[in-house]
Amino acid sequence: MSGQRWIQRVWRRYLPAGRQEREALPAGVQPEARFRQQLIQERKRAERGSKPLLVMIVNPGCAAVAESDSVAGWVGGGLQSCLRETDICGVLDDGALVGVILTEIAGEDLEKVKKAVARKAREKLSQLLDDEAARRVTISFRVYPESGGESGAFDMIFYPEQAQKSLEGTVGEIAKRGLDLVGSAAGLVLLAPAFALIASVIKMTSDGPVFFEQQRVGRNGRKFKLLKFRTMYVGNDDQIHREYVKLLIQGKVAEEQGGVFKITGDPRVTSIGRLLRKYSLDELPQLLNVLKGEMSLVGPRPPIGYEVEQYSGWQRNRLIGKRPGITGAWQVSGRSSTTFDEMVRLDLRYLKGWSIALDLKILLQTPLAVLKCKGAY
């Protein structure tokens, strides 16, 4: 990034809110704060209607019009003639990018629309800019809900509220991480004898490693390796669970089995594994995941990748904003004895009303919930 571009971005970031809103932009191009609100609104509309949301991102690449207050704004204004009246155009990334929300696009038309809009945009840019500047402009498309990016993470452009953390929110995040570090470190020390005992029993009762690693989906869609005590026989097929999860999310399991989140009588589980699962002792190694910063003591449970593939847009929101937890609102409210949608709603209520006090309350409720063994399989 050039020195001039860096100064411009810093200047825009620290402008008073009123000045940013008053900054001159062409007609039809929304300032960043308003465009972000539109993104949130359209994302929620896509969730309710179970439809995809398509956004075009145009990066001018350099200061093609140095005298303009907002290069991206100027480019966005020029693109207005090749957009529909219902499309929403605005600036992003402190005025460095143009964003266009392409509304009411059917899922089967996504690829066709991408090609048509990109072609029209290129034609217009060739009229606005000289050949060299036009070649530097990049056009990309983002689709919600889809995963992508580093480690399969969700595209956070659709969650602009996560980028606008208040001071109170930042302090809360620091406090939550502090609680995780102290709690996980203390737990690993105090539970060291239990770790040794469980490891010995697993090794004596079945062939295979003591620990089981599985890729899970965590905060904002990032993947990580979750650690558990092994409770299954080695070399089993996960197809039975894949099919079960699919039926569960569709709501069919709740009708047939009374709302059980886990497979009952799973033939893949060892005898000692059933006991470990009953009292959630197989989850103890996840204290290491908490210590590493991949998980939290309290939060939504991290799903497997093939589970997330079945999620609708609103269900994905349970993974946004907070690290997944060893325990959470779902675990202290019946554990597996609930429908999938009810579990998601519990997680969403937790995320919306999160506080350190709430985390402490859930942590204090967890031992009793574990001892009751309600919904544990």
Side-chain angles (χ1 to χ4, degrees):
M1 183 185 297
S2 67
Q4 181 182 4
R5 169 78 177 279
W6 180 84
I7 292 171
Q8 288 175 346
R9 291 190 63 178
V10 171
W11 173 250
R12 291 179 189 278
R13 183 176 293 276
Y14 291 100
L15 277 174
R19 170 71 182 277
Q20 291 182 52
E21 290 296 323
R22 291 194 302 268
E23 189 175 28
L25 286 171
V29 180
Q30 298 189 0
E32 184 160 1
R34 198 176 306 162
F35 187 70
R36 288 180 181 275
Q37 287 302 314
Q38 290 279 6
L39 264 175
I40 296 171
Q41 181 178 327
E42 292 300 321
R43 185 195 77 217
K44 292 180 177 178
R45 182 175 292 151
E47 291 168 357
R48 290 192 299 270
S50 298
K51 294 180 179 180
L53 173 59
L54 181 63
V55 174
M56 179 173 68
I57 303 295
V58 181
N59 185 348
C62 67
V65 210
E67 67 275 10
S68 173
D69 286 338
S70 171
V71 174
W74 184 85
V75 171
L79 290 175
Q80 288 293 307
S81 62
C82 66
L83 300 175
R84 300 172 302 170
E85 290 185 3
T86 55
D87 295 334
I88 304 167
C89 183
V91 294
L92 285 170
D93 195 21
D94 299 316
L97 304 174
V98 180
V100 181
I101 302 172
L102 301 161
T103 60
E104 299 298 324
I105 306 296
E108 61 271 18
D109 295 332
L110 282 176
E111 293 305 318
K112 181 173 65 175
V113 170
K114 286 181 187 179
K115 292 178 182 178
V117 173
R119 177 178 52 78
K120 290 180 181 179
R122 281 291 177 194
E123 290 173 354
K124 189 62 181 179
L125 288 169
S126 65
Q127 300 171 13
L128 293 171
L129 307 170
D130 60 55
D131 292 343
E132 183 180 352
R135 280 194 298 269
R136 283 196 292 264
V137 177
T138 61
I139 297 175
S140 60
F141 291 90
R142 312 287 185 85
V143 180
Y144 175 87
E146 278 188 6
S147 61
E150 184 183 352
S151 302
F154 297 159
D155 193 338
M156 295 307 292
I157 194 173
F158 294 107
Y159 299 91
E161 64 270 36
Q162 293 298 319
Q164 299 172 335
K165 297 291 186 183
S166 64
L167 178 61
E168 181 182 358
T170 302
V171 172
E173 285 292 321
I174 294 172
K176 183 174 176 66
R177 182 59 185 148
L179 177 63
D180 288 341
L181 288 172
V182 173
S184 59
L188 287 168
V189 172
L190 295 173
L191 294 169
F195 271 69
L197 177 61
I198 293 170
S200 299
V201 173
I202 292 173
K203 204 67 180 173
M204 289 188 297
T205 55
S206 64
D207 295 330
V210 169
F211 296 106
F212 172 70
E213 277 191 338
Q214 186 178 53
Q215 189 176 76
R216 295 291 183 100
V217 180
R219 182 182 188 177
N220 300 338
R222 292 185 179 276
K223 294 181 175 65
F224 70 99
K225 289 293 183 67
L226 177 138
L227 193 63
K228 302 177 72 172
F229 281 122
R230 181 176 59 83
T231 60
M232 292 186 177
Y233 295 105
V234 175
N236 55 70
D237 190 355
D238 66 1
Q239 190 59 38
I240 182 176
H241 190 254
R242 286 177 178 266
E243 292 299 324
Y244 184 85
V245 164
K246 184 177 180 180
L247 293 173
L248 175 73
I249 294 175
Q250 293 173 353
K252 296 179 181 178
V253 171
E255 299 169 2
E256 299 168 4
Q257 299 189 25
V260 176
F261 189 70
K262 294 182 180 179
I263 302 173
T264 57
D266 192 337
R268 303 171 301 165
V269 180
T270 65
S271 57
I272 189 64
R274 297 186 199 284
L275 180 64
L276 294 177
R277 287 185 170 204
K278 183 176 182 180
Y279 293 100
S280 296
L281 296 173
D282 59 321
E283 311 286 354
L284 292 180
Q286 289 159 42
L287 289 169
L288 290 168
N289 291 115
V290 175
L291 198 62
K292 290 166 63 178
E294 297 165 334
M295 292 181 64
S296 178
L297 292 175
V298 182
R301 284 298 296 164
I304 306 172
Y306 57 74
E307 177 184 328
V308 178
E309 290 173 4
Q310 302 294 327
Y311 281 10
S312 57
W314 76 276
Q315 292 167 338
R316 281 173 168 235
N317 293 340
R318 66 181 292 268
L319 302 174
I320 300 297
K322 291 283 186 291
R323 294 181 181 89
I326 296 178
T327 186
W330 167 61
Q331 286 86 341
V332 300
S333 302
R335 297 167 81 183
S336 300
S337 296
T338 183
T339 66
F340 181 78
D341 282 355
E342 287 170 352
M343 183 206 72
V344 174
R345 292 188 181 97
L346 282 170
D347 285 338
L348 295 179
R349 282 199 291 270
Y350 165 79
L351 294 173
K352 186 177 181 179
W354 175 83
S355 68
I356 284 293
L358 180 57
D359 273 8
L360 291 172
K361 179 181 178 181
I362 291 173
L363 285 171
L364 291 173
Q365 291 176 332
T366 297
L368 181 59
V370 170
L371 291 173
K372 284 182 176 180
C373 302
K374 183 180 178 183
Y377 298 93

